[in-house]
Amino acid sequence: MSNGVRSFREQRAAAVADAGGLEEAVRAGAFAAVEGMTVSEALVLGFLRQGVRKYIGVFGHGSTELGEALRIYESAGLVEVYNVRSEIEASHAASALKHTYGETAAVFTSIGPGALQALSASLVGQSDGLGIYYLFGDETTHDEGYNMQQIPGPGQAQFLKLTSVMGASYQLHTGEALPSALKKGIATVFNPEGARPFYLLLPMNVQGQSLDGFNIGELPRIPEIHTVMPSGNTAYERAVDIIAGAEKTVVKVGNGAMVLADSCGHSARLSEFLQRADAVFVHGPQAVGLLSGDHPRNMTIGGSKGSISGNYAMSEADLVITVGARAVCQWDSSGTAWKNVRKIISINTRTEDAFHYNRTFPLIGDAAEVIAALVAVMKMRGLDKGKTPSPWFLSCAEKKTDWEALLASRTSGPPLMDSKFDEEVLTQPAAIAEVLDFCRSIDAVKYFDAGDVQANGFQLTEDDRPGMTFTETGASYMGFAASAVLASAIADSGRYGVAFTGDGSFMMNPQVLIDASALGVHGMIVVFDNRRMAAISSLQEQQYGFEFRTDDQVAVDYAEMAGCVDGVKGFRGGRTRKALRETLRLAHGFGGLSLVHLPVYYGPDERGGLGAYGDWNVGSWCTAVQAEKHRIGL
């Protein structure tokens, strides 16, 4: 690349920085005559126009031109680029950044294996509704022969075909098509009806293509977005008719219901809605904190793992009101949770999810607006079914008391003798409860990994406000939690984060120790070590009576492992809650990333877990679960 082209780039970057932003620079005429602008630079400017200024990933031969554009614009203070050691880790960090802080990042990779890794990790964003950009290096468009690391074969645009199966994708075959690509990206990443990742494939020869005379005005802005809701009162009148005629109502929420918790009083309106409908509340793993755990109508978690109270409410209800949910298998016990349901009111922005069940009266629209409209109709009618405690509410409250008693028993139980460690160690419920208490005391954000830690965690977690816990149940991606703590160092205003991870999940992404040190993360990883994939071991034993190849024969000192990385400190968690409590205090006091290695019990003693209260369509259970689903007829 000529020095002249580099000089034009530097001049434009400086003009944007000096003007105080892209829009100000455009108004000042800095882009009146565009010379030497490459597609990569235009992409960076296009992202700036959308407010996307953070990039996380791994550079390779498929992204050197993009890297040069980013180098110049980072030098001008306009973007931030974070290089990490795994594309999977980069994707997880971007997911946590979007979920916890609402900041949209672009994940960049080279061509081939790196892109495939990021693509697999983007399952998190696809499953959890997180708008993230993915920039993948791609094979050249002149088809001079196989490009190293492309998908081999005679077909055209092979990687585009692959990403298109996963979600919205665009191969930038021609540089001048960049504005169209970014319009499609906006419609995906910032979609109020359900954001998702967007995959932008950047052929290596197109990245450096010159766009002399490019009209900067073609780069799209994010449009003003208004919420959508049913018009008129007819739909709401009909829904309230259904609510008025029901005897046992449950409101079950998914991740899409989190719009009900903000600074506009939606949480108070949700409480009012529950009382007027005489409904009890059950949440999925992602919607914790929407109502405080001690709210009298909060029956806590429900589903395949669930809780005594949550699953009772789901099983006994004759009216179900679902809010912002896509009915994942464990969310509704593979479709068997609603054993007595007569009618379902489904509130959702996505039509395909609103129509998931039979016997559904759909209300397509923003949950906050729909709930507000329903409350208004209830007030107009004077409907207040829960003004005095009903038999339905009292029966649910009794089950919640039973659940709380079980939690108290299991979390305060003594350490148990573990055959792997050949000594007494804490149970997972006791250990997780202690870490949860500590997180509450320091107001830390919590990230849960896949597996047994995740399952016990979402049964125990109770938050007073949303956004304090990210339980990655959408894709259940092992290695997510440890990578998520990077987000605190990338966010504009990061906060202390704690990763709850099993030994198996942690070893999926242990390189986060190095990257956390490099980025200056102040946070904590707690490794709950039971020397196995306990969630699968227990499934195998329950279904077939034997564990098979989910055990671990190699002992690892994770505290010592962490201590080998400069800037990271390892701690041993101890064998009692008191010892763990002191360890957590010391680990939090360390100025960088700390890792707490905590052995936990696995074995036949039921005190080692919190139990399961619903069905799941897996393994040898499939025949019975499927038969029950067909009997219910939803």
Side-chain angles (χ1 to χ4, degrees):
M1 180 178 294
S2 70
N3 289 333
V5 172
R6 183 172 291 117
S7 176
F8 285 135
R9 284 176 162 177
E10 291 170 347
Q11 289 173 24
R12 280 189 291 269
V16 174
D18 292 343
L22 178 59
E23 304 306 327
E24 292 82 358
V26 170
R27 286 195 293 269
F31 293 89
V34 174
E35 296 181 72
M37 180 179 291
T38 65
V39 171
S40 291
E41 183 185 1
L43 174 62
V44 173
L45 290 169
F47 278 172
L48 280 176
R49 178 158 268 183
Q50 297 180 29
V52 178
R53 55 184 180 83
K54 297 184 179 180
Y55 297 77
I56 313 169
V58 181
F59 286 116
H61 78 273
S63 55
T64 57
E65 163 61 26
L66 174 65
E68 175 63 5
L70 289 173
R71 181 190 71 80
I72 291 171
Y73 275 77
E74 184 179 63
S75 295
L78 296 169
V79 302
E80 299 171 19
V81 182
Y82 301 89
N83 61 301
V84 295
R85 286 161 176 77
S86 162
E87 295 85 357
I88 291 174
E89 177 190 9
S91 181
H92 291 337
S95 295
L97 185 69
K98 189 60 177 279
H99 180 276
T100 303
Y101 302 101
E103 297 183 26
T104 303
V107 174
F108 62 87
T109 78
S110 186
I111 183 175
L116 280 169
Q117 291 210 90
L119 180 66
S120 73
S122 73
L123 278 168
V124 173
Q126 291 287 0
S127 299
D128 296 315
L130 302 172
I132 302 165
Y133 276 108
Y134 287 82
L135 307 178
F136 296 153
D138 200 8
E139 61 191 275
T140 55
T141 61
H142 286 201
D143 198 19
E144 73 278 11
Y146 290 129
N147 288 177
M148 183 171 63
Q149 297 183 341
Q150 75 174 75
I151 298 176
Q156 271 188 313
Q158 297 283 61
F159 210 87
L160 177 64
K161 297 173 184 176
L162 186 62
T163 58
S164 295
V165 172
M166 183 75 86
S169 306
Y170 196 101
Q171 184 193 58
L172 200 60
H173 192 281
T174 303
E176 287 78 3
L178 176 63
S180 291
L182 292 180
K183 288 176 185 176
K184 292 176 172 58
I186 287 173
T188 303
V189 172
F190 300 100
N191 189 341
E193 297 182 5
R196 291 290 187 273
F198 182 77
Y199 310 103
L200 183 56
L201 279 59
L202 304 174
M204 291 180 287
N205 62 318
V206 174
Q207 292 178 37
Q209 176 187 331
S210 181
L211 295 175
D212 290 342
F214 180 72
N215 181 2
I216 200 77
E218 282 194 86
L219 295 174
R221 300 175 177 85
I222 300 173
E224 185 176 348
I225 298 173
H226 299 280
T227 57
V228 179
M229 59 184 295
S231 60
N233 267 356
T234 303
Y236 304 117
E237 293 278 2
R238 176 66 184 125
V240 172
D241 286 341
I242 296 170
I243 294 169
E247 295 182 4
K248 301 176 180 179
T249 300
V250 63
V251 174
K252 179 72 189 290
V253 300
N255 194 33
M258 298 308 282
V259 295
L260 292 168
D262 60 14
S263 59
C264 300
H266 294 318
S267 290
R269 191 173 292 116
L270 174 60
S271 294
E272 182 180 1
F273 176 72
L274 293 171
Q275 177 177 306
R276 289 183 177 277
D278 191 26
V280 293
F281 176 88
V282 181
H283 63 76
Q286 285 280 46
V288 64
L290 195 54
L291 284 183
S292 63
D294 60 359
H295 191 287
R297 292 189 177 270
N298 187 352
M299 297 298 117
T300 73
I301 189 80
S304 296
K305 192 77 172 172
S307 67
I308 293 172
S309 48
N311 279 41
Y312 170 82
M314 293 171 71
S315 175
E316 295 298 316
D318 61 4
L319 171 62
V320 176
I321 303 173
T322 66
V323 185
R326 62 187 183 98
V328 178
C329 59
Q330 291 202 42
W331 186 84
D332 66 355
S333 297
S334 297
T336 68
W338 320 115
K339 298 186 184 303
N340 291 286
V341 67
R342 296 177 183 174
K343 195 72 177 177
I344 294 176
I345 296 174
S346 181
I347 302 172
N348 210 300
T349 57
R350 298 172 65 87
T351 304
E352 62 268 33
D353 291 328
F355 289 175
H356 177 76
Y357 297 113
N358 292 326
R359 290 175 247 158
T360 293
F361 183 77
L363 292 173
I364 311 298
D366 179 86
E369 300 294 336
V370 171
I371 292 294
L374 290 172
V375 169
V377 174
M378 290 173 164
K379 284 182 175 179
M380 181 181 66
R381 290 192 181 184
L383 182 66
D384 194 354
K385 296 172 64 180
K387 188 174 183 179
T388 57
S390 65
W392 166 239
F393 171 74
L394 292 173
S395 67
C396 290
E398 182 178 350
K399 293 296 182 181
K400 186 176 181 181
T401 299
D402 293 343
W403 174 241
E404 290 173 338
L406 177 68
L407 292 182
S409 171
R410 296 290 168 86
T411 57
S412 63
L416 299 176
M417 176 59 69
D418 185 273
S419 58
K420 279 281 186 176
F421 297 103
D422 196 28
E423 62 180 324
E424 290 185 341
V425 296
L426 284 169
T427 65
Q428 281 216 61
I432 292 173
E434 188 62 49
V435 182
L436 286 173
D437 286 347
F438 181 77
C439 288
R440 192 174 296 111
S441 72
I442 63 170
D443 202 33
V445 179
K446 306 174 289 295
Y447 298 102
F448 280 90
D449 235 321
D452 213 40
V453 174
Q454 181 188 75
N456 283 285
F458 64 61
Q459 287 179 301
L460 284 165
T461 302
E462 294 183 358
D463 291 338
D464 293 329
R465 64 186 192 277
M468 297 302 295
T469 301
F470 189 172
T471 301
E472 207 297 281
T473 54
S476 207
Y477 209 114
M478 295 179 71
F480 167 78
S483 301
V485 299
L486 293 180
S488 67
I490 298 173
D492 288 343
S493 299
R495 56 191 310 166
Y496 196 87
V498 176
F500 293 64
T501 184
D503 50 305
S505 286
F506 173 70
M507 288 307 296
M508 294 287 181
N509 280 325
Q511 73 281 345
V512 73
L513 297 175
I514 303 170
D515 291 325
S517 178
L519 296 181
V521 170
H522 184 211
M524 186 189 305
I525 298 172
V526 182
V527 179
F528 299 84
D529 181 11
N530 49 28
R531 301 274 305 277
R532 67 180 62 243
M533 293 175 62
I536 310 306
S537 294
S538 61
L539 269 180
Q540 292 174 331
E541 290 166 354
Q542 292 168 32
Q543 293 183 343
Y544 305 103
F546 298 95
E547 173 276 331
F548 182 68
R549 296 292 186 265
T550 57
D551 196 4
D552 186 0
Q553 303 302 319
V554 180
V556 178
D557 188 334
Y558 293 99
E560 185 173 346
M561 176 183 177
C564 292
V565 180
D566 185 33
V568 179
K569 189 168 184 179
F571 296 82
R572 292 180 176 83
R575 300 298 191 266
T576 66
R577 285 193 65 163
K578 182 179 179 180
L580 174 58
R581 191 176 307 133
E582 177 61 17
T583 299
L584 294 171
R585 186 186 67 80
L586 293 172
H588 177 244
F590 178 65
L593 178 71
S594 57
L595 183 146
V596 176
H597 178 203
L598 183 64
V600 290
Y601 171 81
Y602 179 85
D605 195 316
E606 66 177 10
R607 293 175 296 175
L610 294 171
Y613 303 93
D615 298 326
W616 194 13
N617 195 22
V618 294
S620 63
W621 298 334
C622 286
T623 300
V625 173
Q626 289 168 170
E628 175 67 358
K629 182 182 184 300
H630 294 311
R631 182 194 70 79
I632 295 170
L634 287 177

